[in-house]
Amino acid sequence: MAFSLQRVEGPEPRCRRCEEEITEGWMLNIPWRARSAFHSQSDYHFDCAIDVDAAGALAALSTNEGVVTERDRWIELARARVEAERDANRLRKGKRAAPIEPARDRKGRPRVRVLYIATPGRPGARYPNYVLPWQIDDDYTLRSSRYEFVFVSHTRASDARIDPSQPWVAAVYWQRSDGMISPGNAKLVEWRALGLAAPVLVIAGQGADDVAHRDKQAERLRALIAKAGFDPDDAPVLSATAINATFREALLLALDEQAAKVATVEKARRTERVTDTIDALVEGERDEAMALALSKAMQGLRSAREAERARILEATEQFVLRVPEQASKVIAPILRYNVVFARESLARMIAAQLSGPAKLPARIEDWLRRWRDCDGDPTGLVSALRAAIDAAPTSKRSDELRAMIERLGIALE
């Protein structure tokens, strides 16, 4: 946020965050932010502004020397917050980040964060007010008796950065009642890797009071989060045709309950968290979730340490060998992020895929092309290819496999 430092003149304004009067003589202001029914302008106490955006507050305070009383104290707090967030997201094993005091509101409630995904409605649908959950408050914030919840839209990887002063405690999957339900979402794997309990599932909009329609959507949403490794029975389901006080109270109750279940993972790097999640999924043989988790892990493979990389590659091979019919779900990230496997490992995964179905597996040509472009001994896979053809030499499957091998320039002799 782009804060500017302003003198308090005339009637004392109210802080946008805490809604108390600003009496210090100076305040931080966001001049470009629109006025709303909740607040006449975007004014903040210094400590409230630092909680809302420490980097933005630090920039504004650092460029105004000799004006604000105790300016150095506020700069020190803002800088400590910025450095703690940076260190938490660069953390390596064996090194600990500097401790930081948790952010709290003026009533002493911890300021904590909630990740959310909001699905759009169908094209041309009416009732745009149901599109995003920030309709609950114009400052993305709700307060229960226990917490100050800040809602953060999860649209890119950086949105899920760790801030030790404002930990992640819950997640919300906001589904438009007139929209399609996604078949999968890799961001859910990141939520699980953050140690969050199952997300609160919200079905909002026109038609959310139709019991049969709502129950059908809830069933699909529970199936979706189960793919990411969550316990679907642990996910509260809320519905709303209007965003009102009753809905906010129900949402806060659900968030309080889920926040109490969060695991502490603040000192783990993102790649470590995802890798640990993969280990748990391997142990539980959660194959639907594994495909999503492996895809997410491959995004960060380049920055992963050697041990993490080995765990991800090994887990991928275990996944393909156990459920070769789902191997097509992991080849896309392998190609996209140029994940390098040993040729022998690729040969084992391809052989597993060719050993089962009556027809050629989906995307087997991509797997063969990846193997062809690797260095190493070709003997293992060549034997498997011959065996697959010889099993039914006159079948359509064998004809297609021969043509594919010839097209890729793979020699069977």
Side-chain angles (χ1 to χ4, degrees):
M1 294 182 178
F3 288 110
S4 65
L5 184 66
Q6 289 192 5
R7 185 186 294 275
V8 175
E9 297 177 346
E12 293 173 339
R14 289 190 177 274
C15 175
R16 183 184 181 96
R17 177 191 171 205
C18 70
E19 299 184 338
E20 294 184 8
E21 290 183 347
I22 301 175
T23 61
E24 289 85 350
W26 291 89
M27 64 184 178
L28 289 176
N29 173 274
I30 306 175
W32 53 264
R33 196 164 189 177
R35 295 168 182 260
S36 74
F38 290 88
H39 297 272
S40 61
Q41 56 187 342
S42 301
D43 303 325
Y44 293 88
H45 293 101
F46 292 134
D47 55 340
C48 288
I50 291 169
D51 283 351
V52 169
D53 183 355
L58 178 61
L61 290 166
S62 298
T63 57
N64 294 275
E65 294 187 15
V67 175
V68 179
T69 303
E70 296 188 311
R71 169 180 169 272
D72 290 346
R73 178 169 72 89
W74 296 121
I75 287 178
E76 182 180 353
L77 175 60
R79 182 173 288 120
R81 292 276 179 83
V82 171
E83 291 176 353
E85 180 178 356
R86 179 202 63 201
D87 291 347
N89 289 280
R90 293 179 178 175
L91 198 62
R92 297 294 189 271
K93 284 185 177 178
K95 296 183 179 180
R96 298 180 64 86
I100 190 73
E101 287 293 319
R104 297 181 180 274
D105 69 6
R106 298 201 164 206
K107 293 185 178 180
R109 291 172 292 200
R111 180 177 172 90
V112 295
R113 293 181 299 160
V114 176
L115 278 166
Y116 74 83
I117 295 171
T119 65
R122 57 181 169 79
R126 298 170 62 196
Y127 313 107
N129 286 347
Y130 298 123
V131 172
L132 291 172
W134 46 254
Q135 296 292 334
I136 58 177
D137 187 286
D138 73 332
D139 210 23
Y140 304 87
T141 306
L142 276 181
R143 298 168 185 86
S144 72
S145 60
R146 299 178 59 189
Y147 297 104
E148 180 183 39
F149 293 107
V150 183
F151 288 77
V152 179
S153 175
H154 194 181
T155 57
R156 54 186 183 273
S158 60
D159 295 328
R161 284 173 61 86
I162 288 173
D163 181 346
S165 70
Q166 301 181 39
W168 300 113
V169 298
V172 173
Y173 197 101
W174 185 278
Q175 174 67 42
R176 277 285 297 267
S177 60
D178 60 354
M180 296 292 291
I181 292 179
S182 168
N185 197 315
K187 293 183 179 68
L188 295 172
V189 174
E190 291 194 62
W191 292 2
R192 193 172 187 278
L194 284 166
L196 303 181
V200 179
L201 306 176
V202 177
I203 301 168
Q206 210 65 15
D209 54 353
D210 181 328
V211 175
H213 175 67
R214 182 186 64 213
D215 289 351
K216 194 172 185 179
Q217 285 198 311
E219 183 180 351
R220 290 176 178 172
L221 289 172
R222 284 192 165 117
L224 173 64
I225 66 170
K227 290 181 181 179
F230 288 110
D231 177 0
D233 294 330
D234 186 41
V237 179
L238 306 179
S239 62
T241 56
I243 310 306
N244 53 27
T246 301
F247 171 77
R248 294 187 188 100
E249 184 177 345
L251 179 59
L252 284 172
L253 179 61
L255 290 173
D256 277 344
E257 290 177 351
Q258 299 308 89
K261 305 171 188 174
V262 69
T264 302
V265 294
E266 299 303 326
K267 292 184 173 65
R269 295 164 60 241
R270 187 177 73 87
T271 308
E272 287 177 306
R273 297 195 306 269
V274 174
T275 308
D276 289 342
T277 299
I278 288 170
D279 289 345
L281 294 174
V282 168
E283 185 175 344
E285 296 189 0
R286 298 291 299 274
D287 297 327
E288 287 273 5
M290 275 292 293
L292 284 173
L294 290 170
S295 297
K296 178 58 63 176
M298 289 175 194
Q299 291 183 24
L301 206 59
R302 238 176 236 182
S303 61
R305 293 191 298 271
E306 194 60 38
E308 292 166 0
R309 182 187 298 269
R311 287 163 68 191
I312 293 167
L313 297 183
E314 181 182 359
T316 303
E317 182 174 345
Q318 289 178 14
F319 170 74
V320 173
L321 295 182
R322 187 171 66 246
V323 280
E325 65 276 10
Q326 295 194 36
S328 61
K329 296 180 179 179
V330 294
I331 188 60
I334 288 172
L335 298 176
R336 184 181 305 122
Y337 304 113
N338 193 27
V339 180
V340 178
F341 286 87
R343 201 176 206 190
E344 294 76 11
S345 176
L346 286 169
R348 288 190 291 270
M349 289 188 279
I350 294 170
Q353 294 175 66
L354 292 174
S355 65
K359 62 179 183 178
L360 289 179
R363 303 203 65 170
I364 190 65
E365 186 166 353
D366 289 325
W367 282 98
L368 287 168
R369 185 178 291 107
R370 190 69 176 170
W371 174 88
R372 179 199 64 185
D373 296 338
C374 286
D375 295 327
D377 184 2
T379 307
L381 183 60
V382 168
S383 297
L385 292 174
R386 284 179 183 155
I389 293 171
D390 293 343
T394 60
S395 66
K396 181 181 178 183
R397 179 179 189 265
S398 292
D399 289 342
E400 290 176 348
L401 184 55
R402 285 192 197 92
M404 189 181 297
I405 291 169
E406 184 177 347
R407 186 164 57 248
L408 293 173
I410 298 173
L412 294 181
E413 301 301 329

